Amino acid sequence: MKKSDENWDTWYSQLGPSKKLHADAYGKNRSAPMSYEKYRERYLKEMDNKASRDLIICLAKLVAEGGKITLLCSSACKIEEKCHRSLLKKIILSY
């Protein structure tokens, strides 16, 4: 999507997978794509820090108050159930 077509208010790129994890997941670092279980493990580890938790808690409060959030991903992601969005949604709803 072109920057001029973006229609969201806030983007927390730190809640997405790191560039390295994204590349590893799709086999862009001269290796085979990683399994979903390994991807899940690494993504959850990336989210295990104070800054990410603080943002997640803010989003969880927003949702609990009836607010809406939209979780986006790269165009490379074809299976939502195996995407960081599904993992992030579970984390947000767990608070």
Side-chain angles (χ1 to χ4, degrees):
M1 176 180 285
K2 291 189 280 184
K3 187 91 169 149
S4 61
D5 294 337
E6 295 173 359
N7 60 358
W8 50 81
D9 298 322
T10 307
W11 175 31
Y12 298 117
S13 61
Q14 62 271 44
L15 295 180
S18 65
K19 288 182 180 183
K20 177 162 179 24
L21 176 54
H22 187 268
D24 289 349
Y26 291 97
K28 295 179 180 179
N29 290 330
R30 297 188 194 135
S31 62
M34 70 172 53
S35 71
Y36 175 71
E37 286 308 313
K38 183 68 175 172
Y39 174 80
R40 179 184 177 281
E41 177 184 316
R42 285 184 49 191
Y43 175 76
L44 293 176
K45 187 174 182 178
E46 287 187 356
M47 294 300 104
D48 189 20
N49 63 74
K50 184 177 178 349
S52 293
R53 275 192 303 276
D54 288 348
L55 280 174
I56 290 167
I57 289 168
C58 286
L59 292 173
K61 287 179 182 177
L62 179 67
V63 170
E65 294 169 355
K68 292 187 178 188
I69 62 171
T70 302
L71 303 175
L72 302 173
C73 191
S74 78
S75 59
C77 180
K78 303 294 183 203
I79 304 171
E80 185 174 345
E81 299 80 30
K82 293 188 174 184
C83 175
H84 83 281
R85 291 173 294 174
S86 62
L87 297 170
L88 182 56
K89 179 181 176 180
K90 287 178 186 175
I91 297 168
I92 291 168
L93 294 177
S94 73
Y95 280 90

